[in-house]
Amino acid sequence: MHISMRLPLLWAVACIAIHAFGQNATNGQTTNDREASSSHQTLATYIAGSITKPSPGASPTTTEWQANGTGWRISAEYRRKIRGRNYGGILFSDTPTNSTLYLPRQEPFISWPIRRYEFDVLWTHEFAPVRHRLVPYVTSGAGAIALNGGSTGIHSGWDRQAALVGGAGSDVRLSRRITLRAGFTMDSFKASTYSDPTYRSTGTVMVEPRAGLVWGFGLPHPH
């Protein structure tokens, strides 16, 4: 074949190859983005903890500080898609902790176990997938906290709190329905009075780190 005839033919083949490569890359990216996006509904189970910032409180005789030791237990979350990448959901956690009262620069003078139950109503926004598998998210909402504590000779009884909740995290897609999730929520609320009407508590912040597996269901039918 003459060189003058080969050049147009090679150019045409190159153009077809470039077009095919670009189309496959686009289709692959669309498929991966679809696979990385979350299901219409998800149910997650976590290992969760609670870390509370120490805060001062006033008793009839002095100003005491209270702190809570970290406890690890379980948590569960349900999300349902509202629109686009926005989800509504509920989050429940059950985390034990140790409540401690102390004076600054002195040894704690009392400590006892507390069981913490929290129920949150949350709005969550998922961002676009990163590298087709990692999906960051932010969440915010309101929570209700119930505390029940006591030990031998000490029983603080039930106490309740309301909290403003914010958080963030990331999902890593393992399969079409299974996702690994790691994140945290941060609660802003008034510290517990431990059922003592003479104790005046102040505001504090609690961070709840969590990690676990997410099961997706209600996936849209492929087109």
Side-chain angles (χ1 to χ4, degrees):
M1 185 179 295
H2 197 272
I3 294 179
S4 60
M5 296 179 61
R6 288 181 181 177
L7 290 178
L9 180 59
L10 291 175
W11 176 253
V13 171
C15 289
I16 294 173
I18 292 172
H19 175 75
F21 178 81
Q23 188 65 38
N24 288 336
T26 301
N27 292 339
Q29 182 176 356
T30 302
T31 301
N32 289 332
D33 288 347
R34 187 184 301 118
E35 290 176 353
S37 63
S38 294
S39 308
H40 283 181
Q41 299 179 69
T42 61
L43 180 64
T45 56
Y46 309 112
I47 298 296
S50 61
I51 306 169
T52 305
K53 177 185 176 183
S55 61
S59 68
T61 58
T62 186
T63 297
E64 304 165 350
W65 282 72
Q66 60 166 285
N68 293 276
T70 302
W72 295 89
R73 200 165 172 83
I74 59 173
S75 180
E77 182 179 13
Y78 168 77
R79 292 182 188 175
R80 183 181 179 89
K81 181 175 288 188
I82 300 174
R83 185 177 182 181
R85 295 185 177 277
N86 298 309
Y87 292 76
I90 54 177
L91 173 65
F92 171 78
S93 61
D94 172 7
T95 53
T97 183
N98 290 318
S99 294
T100 300
L101 295 178
Y102 67 97
L103 296 177
R105 297 178 296 279
Q106 295 185 23
E107 292 293 326
F109 59 85
I110 187 172
S111 180
W112 68 99
I114 289 283
R115 196 70 173 269
R116 182 194 306 275
Y117 306 94
E118 182 170 0
F119 182 86
D120 298 335
V121 178
L122 300 174
W123 167 86
T124 300
H125 176 75
E126 292 185 350
F127 296 98
V130 178
R131 298 186 181 274
H132 313 306
R133 297 181 65 86
L134 180 68
V135 182
Y137 69 84
V138 292
T139 189
S140 63
I145 301 172
L147 304 175
N148 186 27
S151 61
T152 304
I154 300 174
H155 185 72
S156 62
W158 285 92
D159 197 3
R160 61 185 182 275
Q161 299 159 310
L164 295 177
V165 185
S170 293
D171 290 354
V172 179
R173 181 59 52 87
L174 303 179
S175 69
R176 185 169 179 266
R177 292 189 180 275
I178 303 299
T179 300
L180 177 65
R181 178 177 295 165
F184 71 94
T185 53
M186 184 171 64
D187 296 9
S188 176
F189 57 92
K190 191 174 182 180
S192 174
T193 63
Y194 303 123
S195 301
D196 183 353
T198 65
Y199 182 83
R200 297 193 304 274
S201 61
T202 58
T204 188
V205 173
M206 179 181 70
V207 177
E208 284 193 337
R210 54 176 50 86
L213 293 176
V214 184
W215 179 62
F217 55 100
L219 287 166
H221 297 290
H223 297 289

